[in-house]
Amino acid sequence: MKASEITDKASKLVSGDRNETHGDVTENHANIARLWSGYLEHGVSPQDVAMMMVLLKVARTKLGAFNEDDFVDAAGYAGVAGEIAARDADMKANKPVVVRPK
């Protein structure tokens, strides 16, 4: 399988099947982050969730037989992390300035 095939398949999953099954990617990862934060008793961001899922997929490549899905899913989660980071940057850049009277 070529790199472009892996990323194409990941893109289709993230924007298609998985998006329909699990809802908006940012909201889904924000929900996971809240649950993980409560369990760990310290803050985890939605981007942290996606990056840790990439690491989980990387870990799975270390043992057992080759599994194409590990690479597809890792690419998909990396894309999700990038999308969340871009949304966060856009929100910070477009944050309205509040002017308070003296």
Side-chain angles (χ1 to χ4, degrees):
M1 180 173 239
K2 294 184 178 191
S4 61
E5 295 171 315
I6 291 170
T7 56
D8 287 347
K9 189 171 182 180
S11 177
K12 289 175 185 167
L13 286 172
V14 170
S15 60
D17 292 351
R18 305 269 165 87
N19 196 43
E20 290 174 19
T21 302
H22 303 297
D24 177 76
V25 69
T26 302
E27 289 179 33
N28 185 37
H29 281 71
N31 187 43
I32 296 166
R34 283 189 295 276
L35 293 167
W36 286 8
S37 293
Y39 181 81
L40 295 170
E41 297 180 353
H42 67 80
V44 174
S45 74
Q47 185 180 352
D48 290 335
V49 170
M51 293 305 294
M52 286 188 280
M53 293 304 294
V54 170
L55 294 172
L56 174 120
K57 293 300 181 172
V58 169
R60 287 187 175 172
T61 67
K62 301 293 280 179
L63 300 172
F66 167 76
N67 181 0
E68 177 184 301
D69 286 345
D70 291 332
F71 296 91
V72 172
D73 290 347
Y77 282 119
V80 166
E83 181 176 331
I84 291 168
R87 285 186 188 182
D88 288 349
D90 286 346
M91 285 175 46
K92 287 177 185 173
N94 296 319
K95 189 174 183 178
V97 176
V98 178
V99 179
R100 295 189 174 99
K102 292 182 179 181

